[in-house]
Amino acid sequence: MSSYSSAVARACGIDFGTSNSTAGWLRPGAPTLLALEDGKLTLPSVVFFNAEEDSVAYGRQGLAEYLDGYEGRLMRSLKSLLGSSLIDGQTEVMGKALPFRELLAKFIGELKLRAERSAGRDFDTAVFGRPVHFVDDNEQADKQAERTLEETARRVGFKEVSFQFEPIAAAFHYEQSISREELVLIADIGGGTSDFSLVRLSPERAALVERRDDLLANGGVHIGGTDFDKYLSLAGVMPLLGYRSKLKNNADVPSSYYFNLATWHTINFTYTRKIWMELQEVYRDAADKEKLDRLLSLIEQRAGHWLALRVEEAKIALSDADKATLQLDRIRQGLVHDIDRATFETATGGLVDDVERTVAALLRDAGVAAERIDTVFFTGGSSGIPLLRQRIAALLPAARAVEGDLFGSIGAGLAVEAMRRYGS
């Protein structure tokens, strides 16, 4: 139960996520998260520019229009632009140049509009979530990413903007449910980053405004669900399209096409006339033309996002099953392909190693023995990956695992922080 349940907050919390976004607002007798699309609390971070209808669609509607076969451009993993060199670039949409900064503003403006419609009021103040590191090992680029997000938020109408680390926000959400003091590792494994915070929580501490002494350590690495999608795609699917196959001179088919198709925010790069002409040359020299036929068919249909969605579905299925079956009729009629969990775990083992090292370093930095940690609180849509959970559990043998709202804990916690900072 929230400590602030008797007041209406002046500000909202915004979780702009790589895969999904939420908005939270504290007010008496009502759920914290606001409905953003057809009564649902999440808005997939998707923009679809529908060329046939000359319209722009967001979230599930955008995905549905794309999958229904409308001509246009699908943009996903928009948050990945922050801190990258792409942010100052542009892409072509409906025959016009669209700066990536404007693309971000379109989505965040839509997120604000939907939150306001759901709340029945305007918001000019917000606490935005941010990963512990937008960019690993580059403080300047990390600060620039936060500035870009703040500038974008102000551009769409927020007058006061501040930030809270996403795992800290999740901690504040979890704290509303506990009855005693706990030392908690928050494990927020989202679409773009894996973030961790070691926090001392209790019902009594929840009422405090200043919580600096309760935060023992933060850590994070720029690895998330989209990276797991990428490496699963490269290992399990892209070989069907010619990845790691040979040219007639025994050289490898260039890998860049496959890396772009396997990475959510670069899929559209494969649709240029220049790439199409290059691939005609590659096709002529390919030793296995059947696989290149599949690649060319996929690109000609601009079906890269469709394939990425199939891979993402397989990743999710492999969290509960030993095998996932992909129906790939759009590439070739009757094409069915199985991927097993062993392939997934082998392909993503290096990512899991990096996440494990991040948690171990956080414990060392905090000077806290692993045995002292009471609870691991999992949030983020990718926190259900079995190998990740197993490795984190092995580091913290005495901790119990608690699963929060995988997509809503951060937005709800940001709403708590918005009330703390800005009041009612």
Side-chain angles (χ1 to χ4, degrees):
M1 180 67 66
S2 170
S3 305
Y4 304 100
S5 57
S6 62
V8 176
R10 181 169 75 86
C12 65
I14 299 288
D15 176 22
F16 168 45
T18 301
S19 300
N20 292 277
S21 296
T22 61
W25 178 45
L26 287 183
R27 71 274 197 211
T32 300
L33 292 179
L34 296 165
L36 298 177
E37 185 178 19
D38 298 329
K40 295 181 174 63
L41 304 179
T42 60
L43 179 68
S45 302
V46 169
V47 184
F48 180 62
F49 296 91
N50 188 322
E52 294 181 45
E53 303 289 337
D54 193 23
S55 61
V56 182
Y58 299 86
R60 294 170 187 82
Q61 181 186 345
L63 282 171
E65 290 183 15
Y66 168 76
L67 292 173
D68 284 344
Y70 282 93
E71 285 292 322
R73 289 288 299 275
L74 184 76
M75 312 293 286
R76 194 179 175 190
S77 293
L78 311 178
K79 189 176 179 180
S80 300
L81 295 167
L82 294 169
S84 80
S85 58
L86 293 175
I87 192 63
D88 292 315
Q90 59 188 30
T91 188
E92 184 179 313
V93 174
M94 300 182 188
K96 298 178 182 178
L98 176 70
F100 285 122
R101 288 178 184 270
E102 185 175 329
L103 175 64
L104 275 180
K106 280 183 177 294
F107 183 79
I108 292 173
E110 182 69 16
L111 184 56
K112 179 178 186 289
L113 178 64
R114 291 182 184 222
E116 291 173 337
R117 284 177 179 167
S118 184
R121 53 154 290 175
D122 293 340
F123 290 113
D124 63 5
T125 305
V127 178
F128 274 72
R130 58 149 294 166
V132 174
H133 301 297
F134 280 108
V135 183
D136 294 338
D137 302 319
N138 189 331
E139 186 177 350
Q140 184 175 351
D142 188 81
K143 288 179 179 178
Q144 182 58 49
E146 184 179 287
R147 278 196 298 273
T148 299
L149 183 53
E150 180 177 356
E151 289 164 1
T152 304
R154 292 184 183 278
R155 177 178 174 181
V156 302
F158 287 109
K159 295 177 182 176
E160 286 189 75
V161 178
S162 60
F163 294 91
Q164 178 59 273
F165 290 134
E166 289 158 357
I168 297 297
F172 292 155
H173 172 63
Y174 172 62
E175 191 172 44
Q176 308 303 303
S177 68
I178 63 177
S179 58
R180 62 178 180 82
E181 182 171 307
E182 296 182 21
L183 187 57
V184 182
L185 177 73
I186 305 295
D188 169 27
I189 303 168
T193 59
S194 295
D195 292 318
F196 303 92
S197 292
L198 188 58
V199 194
R200 188 179 292 107
L201 303 174
S202 75
E204 295 75 24
R205 295 174 189 277
L208 300 175
V209 173
E210 177 52 63
R211 301 297 300 275
R212 190 173 304 169
D213 291 342
D214 294 333
L215 173 60
L216 305 185
N218 272 326
V221 64
H222 205 262
I223 291 172
T226 56
D227 299 290
F228 284 87
D229 294 344
K230 173 181 177 177
Y231 284 96
L232 177 59
S233 182
L234 288 170
V237 178
M238 290 300 159
L240 296 173
L241 310 183
Y243 177 53
R244 289 184 171 167
S245 65
K246 297 292 185 180
L247 300 174
K248 291 175 182 176
N249 65 4
N250 208 38
D252 289 340
V253 170
S255 63
S256 59
Y257 312 117
Y258 303 100
F259 274 78
N260 280 337
L261 281 171
T263 306
W264 277 102
H265 63 280
T266 60
I267 290 170
N268 287 315
F269 293 176
T270 60
Y271 300 151
T272 66
R273 180 177 295 275
K274 176 177 180 290
I275 294 298
W276 183 254
M277 297 304 294
E278 286 179 11
L279 283 170
Q280 304 308 306
E281 296 286 338
V282 172
Y283 182 81
R284 280 191 284 271
D285 292 334
D288 189 339
K289 284 187 165 52
E290 181 182 5
K291 291 180 178 177
L292 269 293
D293 278 328
R294 296 171 185 165
L295 175 65
L296 291 172
S297 173
L298 184 83
I299 292 175
E300 189 172 25
Q301 297 177 68
R302 298 197 170 200
H305 288 92
W306 168 85
L307 181 59
L309 285 165
R310 301 288 82 77
V311 173
E312 183 181 42
E313 289 168 0
K315 176 192 70 177
I316 293 168
L318 290 170
S319 292
D320 297 314
D322 292 328
K323 184 180 75 171
T325 299
L326 284 74
Q327 305 289 338
L328 301 175
D329 290 69
R330 197 161 171 181
I331 296 174
R332 194 193 71 192
Q333 190 65 33
L335 182 60
V336 177
H337 182 61
D338 290 336
I339 303 178
D340 59 31
R341 186 184 288 183
T343 298
F344 177 45
E345 293 186 347
T346 299
T348 60
L351 301 177
V352 174
D353 289 345
D354 287 344
V355 172
E356 182 182 30
R357 280 192 287 269
T358 300
V359 176
L362 178 144
L363 296 176
R364 288 195 302 272
D365 291 345
V368 174
E371 293 76 16
R372 287 183 52 204
I373 297 174
D374 300 302
T375 304
V376 183
F377 180 76
F378 287 101
T379 188
S382 299
S383 67
I385 294 172
L387 186 60
L388 266 178
R389 289 211 176 190
Q390 291 164 17
R391 298 281 278 276
I392 292 172
L395 284 174
L396 307 170
R400 67 185 184 117
V402 174
E403 184 171 292
D405 179 341
L406 296 187
F407 299 101
S409 293
I410 293 170
L414 291 168
V416 173
E417 183 69 354
M419 175 66 92
R420 275 201 181 109
R421 292 187 184 183
Y422 301 109
S424 57

